[in-house]
Amino acid sequence: SKRLGAQEKGIKICTYAAGLDEIILKPIGDGAEGWYAMRPHPSYTETDLPGVRFSFELAKKYRGFEPKEVASHYRAGMIEVAVMLEAIRLAMEKVGLENLNGRAVRDAMVSIKDFETGMTPLITVTEERPYLFSAERVYQVRQGELWPVTDWIPSVFHPLEEPKGIWAK
């Protein structure tokens, strides 16, 4: 898009989380300046979020990464693992360790209500909403970093409810 002068021609570039994260920004450099992305998980620029700060601690301890090296997909993985562990915990609470199986974990997964990650609006998973992220933000590349430019909004892929928790306005 830089070589073609897309942005200079008034063409705005917008992608989804997998199309633009900190790792992708590195080789693109200033060619991504001004681009937008819809993302359900936070950038490392959101240091006000306790889960983002925790991601820095874990990445430093286990990978030797500095905060700017901790790509968004690292945090997405942390969120996914936390929710899966919650499903396992709920399943064990219901059926016990001796009866723990895939069905019990799956049933527990769709019973998760208002799970706090410290990085996203509260997560609820149901039969009707079998996904983790029901909200996302628009981010813009500014000086080579992804910065949120909107509050959390209902996901364009799953527009069933407003964000809940400390992010709701």
Side-chain angles (χ1 to χ4, degrees):
S1 89
K2 183 176 182 175
R3 183 173 51 81
L4 297 174
Q7 299 214 89
E8 292 78 13
K9 294 175 184 171
I11 299 168
K12 300 295 181 191
I13 308 296
C14 185
T15 185
Y16 190 61
L20 187 60
D21 77 356
E22 294 85 353
I23 300 301
I24 293 170
L25 281 175
K26 286 181 182 179
I28 296 173
D30 67 352
E33 194 66 21
W35 287 14
Y36 294 92
M38 296 292 294
R39 300 160 49 85
H41 48 274
S43 168
Y44 69 74
T45 60
E46 296 174 82
T47 57
D48 58 321
L49 300 176
V52 170
R53 293 190 308 272
F54 183 57
S55 76
F56 297 160
E57 292 172 30
L58 291 178
K60 182 68 171 176
K61 181 175 180 178
Y62 295 106
R63 301 277 186 244
F65 292 170
E66 295 302 321
K68 288 188 176 188
E69 296 175 295
V70 185
S72 299
H73 285 80
Y74 190 95
R75 279 177 294 287
M78 289 177 63
I79 294 165
E80 292 160 5
V81 167
V83 173
M84 180 52 68
L85 290 173
E86 175 67 0
I88 293 169
R89 184 190 71 75
L90 291 170
M92 288 176 60
E93 197 173 85
K94 184 171 183 175
V95 302
L97 179 60
E98 62 284 345
N99 295 315
L100 187 64
N101 60 28
R103 173 52 68 177
V105 173
R106 181 249 175 247
D107 290 347
M109 177 68 82
V110 296
S111 75
I112 291 176
K113 303 279 187 270
D114 296 336
F115 185 74
E116 177 65 59
T117 68
M119 291 191 252
T120 64
L122 300 177
I123 292 176
T124 295
V125 184
T126 67
E127 295 284 353
E128 297 76 33
R129 295 180 53 252
Y131 45 84
L132 303 185
F133 303 112
S134 62
E136 54 198 335
R137 282 182 166 166
V138 176
Y139 290 77
Q140 184 179 35
V141 178
R142 295 179 179 169
Q143 298 180 347
E145 297 180 327
L146 287 162
W147 291 91
V149 294
T150 67
D151 287 328
W152 290 99
I153 57 177
S155 172
V156 295
F157 296 108
H158 311 292
L160 298 177
E161 65 183 49
E162 293 291 322
K164 297 185 287 183
I166 63 174
W167 294 271
K169 297 235 179 225

